[in-house]
Amino acid sequence: MSRFFTVGKYRAHSRKDQRFQIPRLSLVLDTHRFETYDWSLGGFRIDDFPGRPPVGDTVTISELSYSPDAKVAVNCKATVTRIVLGKNQVAFAFNKMDEAAFKFLENASMHRLALLAGHDSD
């Protein structure tokens, strides 16, 4: 059985993938659109939502985007791994990621580096 836990401000969560705040990703979880607080190739964190699945449940991600021109349809699964107490946030770990999602997140990482370097094409 997998171990899942709630993390508050006094206990950090260890992860192998560094999470990024920019570019801010938008994703469609089941039928709801959310903006991420942070993300990585390993997972993401979003605002809590009414009727959210409990820790351990799996949700489907059907779309990822970070701008109107950078959007992709995907077929991914993510598991609720923790609830961040006091911040009203839910963290997810990818447990199935298709090739389109992997490539999109790699490109978003490169876009992040361009933003940080001040070479945005806007």
Side-chain angles (χ1 to χ4, degrees):
M1 183 167 135
S2 296
R3 291 184 184 159
F4 297 98
F5 50 89
T6 300
V7 177
K9 65 180 180 179
Y10 300 110
R11 184 168 190 250
H13 180 71
S14 60
R15 70 178 44 80
K16 66 178 183 174
D17 297 308
Q18 179 181 358
R19 291 212 177 153
F20 308 117
Q21 293 182 338
I22 57 173
R24 182 147 328 243
L25 293 183
S26 175
L27 45 83
V28 176
L29 271 169
D30 293 329
T31 59
H32 306 285
R33 180 171 298 279
F34 293 95
E35 300 292 317
T36 61
Y37 280 102
D38 55 22
W39 58 275
S40 72
L41 288 173
F44 54 93
R45 192 167 42 124
I46 63 170
D47 269 332
D48 196 0
F49 55 94
R52 80 168 142 76
V55 171
D57 272 12
T58 300
V59 296
T60 300
I61 302 159
S62 59
E63 181 182 285
L64 295 171
S65 65
Y66 59 83
S67 76
D69 298 328
K71 182 187 315 188
V72 65
V74 297
N75 181 18
C76 300
K77 301 286 184 192
T79 301
V80 178
T81 57
R82 62 191 170 100
I83 309 304
V84 184
L85 296 175
K87 292 187 178 181
N88 206 30
Q89 298 170 1
V90 181
F92 293 81
F94 289 113
N95 60 11
K96 176 187 166 278
M97 185 184 303
D98 65 11
E99 188 172 334
F102 184 80
K103 285 181 180 180
F104 182 85
L105 292 176
E106 280 190 324
N107 288 337
S109 294
M110 296 306 291
H111 182 69
R112 173 186 170 273
L113 294 176
L115 290 171
L116 291 174
H119 300 311
D120 190 20
S121 60
D122 290 343

